[in-house]
Amino acid sequence: MKKYVIGLDYGTDSVRAVLIDTENGAELATSVSYYQRWKEGKFCKPEQNQFRQHPLDHIEGLEKTISDVVKESGVAPELIVSICIDTTGSSPLPVNKEGIALSLLPEFAENPNAMMVLWKDHTSIEEAEEINRLARNWGGEDYTRFEGGIYSSEWFWAKILHINREDDTVKNAAYSWMEHCDYITFLLSDHQDVETFKRSRCAAGHKAMWHESWGGLPSKEFLGQLDPSLADLRDRLYHKTYTSDEIAGNLNQEWAEKLGLTTNTIIAVGTFDAHSGAVGAKVEENTLIRIMGTSTCDIMVAPNEVIGNKTVKGICGQVDGSVIPGLMGLEAGQSAFGDVLAWFKDILMWPTQSILMNSSVIDNHQKQLLKEEIEHNIIRNLTLEAEKIPLSEAVPVALDWINGRRTPDANQELKMAINNLSLGTKAPHIFKAMVNAICFGSKKIVDRFEEEGVKIEKVIGIGGVARKSPFIMQTLANVLNRPIVVAASDQAPALGAAVYAAVAAGIYPNVQEASRKMGSDFEAEYFPQSEHVEKYAELMEQYQMLADFTENNSKSKKKSIVDSL
């Protein structure tokens, strides 16, 4: 008798569910739900790097997408044996003692500090710096050691510390905090004790400085020196963590009725989207998986005996079992990838939004049609023109730090820069410069892995950018000077979550075997073009010169401000 599983993948803008045949990984049904409040821009202040999401967006999307795939597939509910959730991260939110998100309570319904602090929220830059200073100077364990040696404002403790200092009402009401992947898993599960609920190894290890060698989370002594509230919170978090091939519980009665499923459905331990995406793309040793969307995550696995006690500097952590149980999971990434191009698109759309839509020359229906046509075609047309620009022609040099730098060596205070502009510079030239920039930022990550002794023999691209932009992928192959294959699945993270679900349900003995049977095929391969590789190497040197100048100038400016205080 066939058995089926559901992978539920929470991205930055939407959630998608896929119902998968465990025998061969075939996708029987899929459904996507966009976050309405997020789409309206609620609770966010981009100018302050504040990005918050209301959990109602996630809960409504959960109910819609899973109900849709159950109905659309026509599969009997009792044959849907397991669900696994992957999410963005670090995206924590405060909960009360019953595990209810504070923003679901009337008194916090409109308070952004009580909502999920999205991965791209950088309001806690100062708190992250404080964590780094203390870790190096307090005289005890350096808890950032397995986090690449630098703690980021994108991560768990920095975000909580910022909220606690900014909002006493949230600090006092929050019994605990949960990563997004843990919260949604908890919501569905019949295990409803916040303190004993199985938390994600992936989330805890890569973002919360959890490590077995020091007994779990950072010590109360260390956290207390940051803020007494963090030391108190530690007692209400967790000690052990669990990999996503393990069972968190069964689907509870309330959600079984909402989703049209049974309480026999297993709920697997949650995970992050990049790590499940790597599993969906059949990750193996010496393979770099690049999940390319608004940002990137770069995932690798390596045997523990290869990594040993060595720490890979400047990445987003190395965690035993965060991708495949029994192997070390390594994570890096860029804070902006597709977001760089989306920002440029928004800049170019300004006249359309502010002038065309207020024009009295054409009627409202025509305005809307024209606006949609421009939005639909602008990146496509820029790409076509950028491809025609020969490498011998002067193109600006840009940095990819529009949202700070994640890796190598996290620094969210860094800003994007662009030089070599002239009166001959047109929009396609700038677009080409930005494509180059995101590819050069990618190469810095590859170089860091190899400098640290982690061998890369194969590169696999997944995600919307990988599948939709041959121009970017060919540029990336030229910059990296190595072939890149592209996963065929549009839903690699959800597919990877389904792989975990199948193992948790006992259908496969381990993640490797399930991934080989259920993982995505590949649809394209890009090879470096020998006639372009040398020129891109020269442009990479210019990128590095601009990067060094910008970062050093940023440090000097910051030091000058500090000295003046």
Side-chain angles (χ1 to χ4, degrees):
M1 184 179 294
K2 286 202 171 205
K3 293 182 179 179
Y4 304 88
V5 292
I6 292 174
L8 189 67
D9 169 42
Y10 281 90
T12 300
D13 303 316
S14 61
V15 56
R16 61 208 49 80
V18 294
L19 192 145
I20 300 292
D21 184 337
T22 61
E23 187 176 300
N24 53 21
E27 181 184 299
L28 274 71
T30 184
S31 175
V32 178
S33 175
Y34 290 88
Y35 311 141
Q36 188 58 42
R37 297 163 189 80
W38 169 258
K39 190 175 181 180
E40 294 170 4
K42 290 186 175 181
F43 316 118
C44 296
K45 298 178 181 178
E47 69 281 2
Q48 297 177 18
N49 287 319
Q50 176 182 302
F51 296 97
R52 311 287 165 81
Q53 289 188 340
H54 201 295
L56 277 176
D57 274 343
H58 308 136
I59 294 168
E60 291 164 1
L62 157 68
E63 183 170 0
K64 178 187 183 304
T65 56
I66 294 186
S67 297
D68 282 353
V69 297
V70 171
K71 292 174 185 175
E72 180 186 335
S73 69
V75 171
E78 61 270 17
L79 299 182
I80 301 173
V81 295
S82 185
I83 299 171
C84 182
I85 293 98
D86 74 77
T87 69
T88 64
S90 178
S91 299
L93 72 164
V95 299
N96 66 12
K97 192 170 185 178
E98 289 72 41
I100 299 171
L102 294 190
S103 49
L104 297 181
L105 304 175
E107 61 269 34
F108 291 107
E110 300 295 319
N111 184 346
N113 292 327
M115 296 175 191
M116 192 187 81
V117 187
L118 190 64
W119 64 269
K120 68 192 289 182
D121 186 295
H122 293 161
T123 52
S124 58
I125 286 175
E126 292 182 7
E127 288 79 6
E129 289 188 355
E130 189 176 339
I131 290 171
N132 285 315
R133 285 195 300 271
L134 182 64
R136 293 178 182 84
N137 300 305
W138 79 297
E141 182 71 62
D142 181 357
Y143 292 112
T144 70
R145 185 155 58 98
F146 296 105
E147 307 270 8
I150 303 174
Y151 202 74
S152 170
S153 62
E154 292 186 344
W155 299 347
F156 189 77
W157 291 109
K159 290 178 172 179
I160 296 171
L161 182 57
H162 178 77
I163 297 296
N164 282 2
R165 287 176 172 171
E166 187 172 86
D167 197 323
D168 281 341
T169 59
V170 172
K171 178 179 73 174
N172 295 330
Y175 181 80
S176 189
W177 282 73
M178 301 183 85
E179 279 286 356
H180 190 195
C181 65
D182 290 326
Y183 172 73
I184 299 296
T185 303
F186 176 83
L187 188 72
L188 293 181
S189 172
D190 59 357
H191 186 140
Q192 291 290 295
D193 184 335
V194 170
E195 293 189 26
T196 60
F197 185 73
K198 292 181 179 179
R199 306 287 188 111
S200 166
R201 169 77 57 84
C202 169
H206 285 284
K207 311 302 180 187
M209 298 187 285
W210 181 95
H211 199 270
E212 287 180 313
S213 67
W214 49 69
L217 294 169
S219 69
K220 293 184 70 170
E221 182 183 2
F222 174 82
L223 295 171
Q225 290 192 38
L226 292 167
D227 194 285
S229 66
L230 296 189
D232 292 340
L233 175 64
R234 188 188 189 279
D235 291 334
R236 305 191 299 274
L237 289 172
Y238 50 88
H239 300 286
K240 293 182 66 178
T241 62
Y242 300 84
T243 54
S244 292
D245 59 335
E246 299 187 68
I247 297 172
N250 279 55
L251 185 61
N252 61 50
Q253 185 66 46
E254 177 188 357
W255 276 98
E257 293 174 2
K258 287 181 179 180
L259 302 176
L261 295 173
T262 78
T263 56
N264 291 325
T265 301
I266 287 169
I267 306 298
V269 172
T271 189
F272 282 163
D273 50 4
H275 302 75
S276 63
V279 169
K282 301 180 181 177
V283 66
E284 55 189 6
E285 294 173 31
N286 303 321
T287 299
L288 176 69
I289 308 290
R290 304 212 75 227
I291 298 90
M292 292 179 279
T294 54
S295 66
T296 77
C297 275
D298 298 83
I299 303 295
M300 296 191 70
V301 295
N304 289 312
E305 55 269 23
V306 170
I307 298 296
N309 292 322
K310 180 180 179 180
T311 54
V312 181
K313 297 176 183 176
I315 65 170
C316 301
Q318 51 196 81
V319 181
D320 186 9
S322 64
V323 183
I324 294 178
L327 294 177
M328 188 68 67
L330 307 170
E331 178 189 345
Q334 293 165 269
S335 292
F337 194 78
D339 265 355
V340 175
L341 308 181
W343 168 80
F344 187 51
K345 174 185 173 181
D346 287 344
I347 295 293
L348 296 181
M349 286 296 297
W350 185 86
T352 299
Q353 300 283 10
S354 62
I355 300 174
L356 173 67
M357 299 307 289
N358 293 310
S359 172
S360 59
V361 176
I362 56 178
D363 62 39
N364 288 335
H365 179 65
Q366 290 172 315
K367 289 177 190 176
Q368 188 60 36
L369 289 177
L370 188 55
K371 175 176 175 287
E372 290 173 0
E373 183 181 12
I374 294 171
E375 283 183 326
H376 180 73
N377 290 320
I378 191 166
I379 293 295
R380 176 179 174 273
N381 287 4
L382 283 169
T383 297
L384 292 173
E385 292 303 313
E387 285 181 306
K388 297 175 185 177
I389 300 172
L391 290 180
S392 59
E393 188 169 327
V395 171
V397 177
L399 301 179
D400 53 313
W401 300 338
I402 195 77
N403 198 30
R405 184 179 65 207
R406 181 178 296 161
T407 61
D409 306 317
N411 186 343
Q412 302 306 156
E413 287 190 294
L414 292 174
K415 303 299 181 185
M416 186 178 183
I418 185 167
N419 73 356
N420 201 32
L421 295 167
S422 73
L423 291 175
T425 302
K426 309 299 182 186
H429 292 87
I430 298 174
F431 181 78
K432 190 180 185 79
M434 292 180 178
V435 170
N436 290 346
I438 59 179
C439 293
F440 293 148
S442 305
K443 189 174 190 309
K444 293 293 293 182
I445 293 170
V446 170
D447 289 348
R448 176 59 60 88
F449 273 127
E450 297 204 314
E451 289 163 5
E452 293 290 308
V454 182
K455 188 177 181 181
I456 298 174
E457 295 178 346
K458 185 177 182 181
V459 179
I460 298 175
I462 68 173
V465 174
R467 297 200 70 209
K468 296 175 183 177
S469 180
F471 175 54
I472 293 176
M473 297 309 294
Q474 184 60 63
T475 303
L476 186 61
N478 289 334
V479 169
L480 297 184
N481 193 20
R482 63 187 75 208
I484 304 171
V485 296
V486 176
S489 176
D490 266 334
Q491 312 289 358
L495 181 57
V499 168
Y500 286 129
V503 180
I507 296 168
Y508 291 98
N510 55 60
V511 173
Q512 293 99 316
E513 184 173 335
S515 180
R516 283 193 292 268
K517 290 286 185 68
M518 297 172 61
S520 175
D521 292 328
F522 302 102
E523 66 177 9
E525 186 167 8
Y526 297 87
F527 297 92
Q529 299 163 316
S530 57
E531 68 273 22
H532 295 327
V533 168
E534 185 175 344
K535 182 59 179 178
Y536 276 111
E538 293 174 8
L539 292 172
M540 178 75 189
E541 291 180 6
Q542 296 177 35
Y543 169 91
Q544 188 61 58
M545 290 173 62
L546 180 60
D548 290 342
F549 174 83
T550 303
E551 185 163 12
N552 291 335
N553 187 60
S554 176
K555 289 177 181 177
S556 299
K557 182 178 179 181
K558 183 177 179 181
K559 184 178 185 301
S560 177
I561 293 171
V562 171
D563 290 345
S564 68
L565 296 177

